[in-house]
Amino acid sequence: MLLGVLCILVVPQVFSEAPPAPPQDIQVDNWLLRWSPDPDHGNVTYTAQNSSFDSDEWTDVPYCVHTSLNSCNVSSIKARSVYGCVMLRVQAERHGQKSPSVQACSTHGDLCTPDFILTASPGSLTVHLREALQGYKDGPASVTIDELQEGQRYCTRVQYLSFTRTEGLPTCTQCALIPESDSRRTVTTVSLVLVGGVLLLVFPVIAYFLLFQRWRFKRWLQPRYTFREHLLELLPEPRFPVPSSTEEHYDVITSMSPVELRE
């Protein structure tokens, strides 16, 4: 009986818990894998998994399974794949509930991860691969993305592609702001000048009316007086009799004599 009560109390609590939030900012730097844990929830463990570019199977990284830390050394998997190119991902888990896996990125370039720089120009963004790595991989040294909106910020990440499969870790996201063209900058400057000139002309006029013609504004803002129709109707005749002047009586005083006050 007691076991049944415990099952009723504990099992619904376990199944009602939502999966933990996935880890964020997963980066690899010199085979040290780091991520940002969820600061709002405790009792969360993390497991790192790896996969080579010629396989779809993900396996756990040794010494990085159900760890409560936010980093682990993954150099042990370097020798397991061709050229040391692997893909990594991290998954959070709490009470059997697992979060979606999030793929890691590399903070610097090597034989398995491109090293690139971004060049932004009006309407386009160019991705340049560094010369030191161009001899190891086939493909263009740069790629230009056109028809981008000026004044907006665009982000990109790069990953090697072997035939139709990705290879190695992708780069961490880099962003650049697309600058405005000279013509558009000129139009913007002219528009600002025109708006400023209009304000300079209108402001003294508004100030004059506010200072010296305030009574006019008050009169314009006052609502018009209107009388309701029932107030304009004639008053009814009085219902009590009013004596006429012919029925009035007057007493005429002919003389007055003083009266002595008695003590």
Side-chain angles (χ1 to χ4, degrees):
M1 181 65 181
L2 180 59
L3 180 60
V5 173
L6 292 177
C7 291
I8 294 175
L9 294 177
V10 175
V11 173
Q13 181 179 1
V14 173
F15 283 96
S16 63
E17 290 184 357
Q24 305 293 328
D25 302 326
I26 306 175
Q27 300 179 357
V28 179
D29 185 7
N30 197 20
W31 295 101
L32 181 62
L33 181 63
R34 297 177 180 272
W35 59 87
S36 298
D38 185 3
D40 299 330
H41 297 87
N43 300 326
V44 178
T45 60
Y46 300 90
T47 298
Q49 295 179 326
N50 73 98
S51 175
S52 60
F53 75 94
D54 56 349
S55 175
D56 294 329
E57 183 181 359
W58 290 88
T59 59
D60 295 340
V61 177
Y63 311 108
C64 197
V65 178
H66 295 152
T67 178
S68 59
L69 304 177
N70 62 341
S71 65
C72 63
N73 193 315
V74 295
S75 59
S76 60
I77 64 174
K78 182 178 181 180
R80 297 185 179 183
S81 59
V82 180
Y83 306 117
C85 295
V86 296
M87 292 180 290
L88 292 166
R89 68 183 188 183
V90 181
Q91 185 181 54
E93 182 177 353
R94 181 181 61 237
H95 298 239
Q97 301 290 324
K98 299 180 179 180
S99 72
S101 299
V102 182
Q103 190 174 7
C105 65
S106 178
T107 57
H108 64 277
D110 52 25
L111 293 179
C112 301
T113 302
D115 190 11
F116 72 99
I117 57 175
L118 294 178
T119 301
S121 58
S124 64
L125 182 66
T126 303
V127 181
H128 298 277
L129 293 179
R130 295 187 184 273
E131 297 179 357
L133 296 177
Q134 290 180 13
Y136 294 94
K137 303 292 179 181
D138 296 329
S142 63
V143 176
T144 301
I145 307 172
D146 297 317
E147 299 181 359
L148 301 181
Q149 186 176 356
E150 298 177 3
Q152 297 296 322
R153 188 177 181 87
Y154 291 88
C155 299
T156 183
R157 59 193 307 178
V158 183
Q159 188 175 14
Y160 284 129
L161 186 67
S162 178
F163 298 101
T164 58
R165 301 180 64 90
T166 55
E167 177 182 347
L169 292 172
T171 62
C172 293
T173 302
Q174 295 187 27
C175 302
L177 180 66
I178 305 300
E180 295 182 351
S181 59
D182 294 336
S183 59
R184 183 174 180 180
R185 191 180 299 110
T186 302
V187 172
T188 303
T189 304
V190 172
S191 301
L192 292 176
V193 172
L194 291 177
V195 171
V198 172
L199 291 178
L200 290 177
L201 293 176
V202 173
F203 179 76
V205 177
I206 296 176
Y208 170 77
F209 277 97
L210 291 178
L211 293 176
F212 302 103
Q213 303 294 330
R214 187 181 305 175
W215 61 275
R216 293 181 181 273
F217 282 99
K218 290 183 178 180
R219 190 177 64 181
W220 293 339
L221 296 177
Q222 287 179 352
R224 295 182 179 181
Y225 294 101
T226 57
F227 292 92
R228 297 183 178 180
E229 295 182 357
H230 72 277
L231 296 178
L232 299 177
E233 296 178 357
L234 296 177
L235 295 176
E237 294 294 335
R239 297 181 180 179
F240 53 88
V242 179
S244 61
S245 58
T246 57
E247 298 179 355
E248 293 182 355
H249 300 277
Y250 302 92
D251 293 331
V252 179
I253 300 175
T254 55
S255 64
M256 296 178 63
S257 59
V259 178
E260 296 182 358
L261 296 176
R262 298 179 181 180
E263 297 183 357

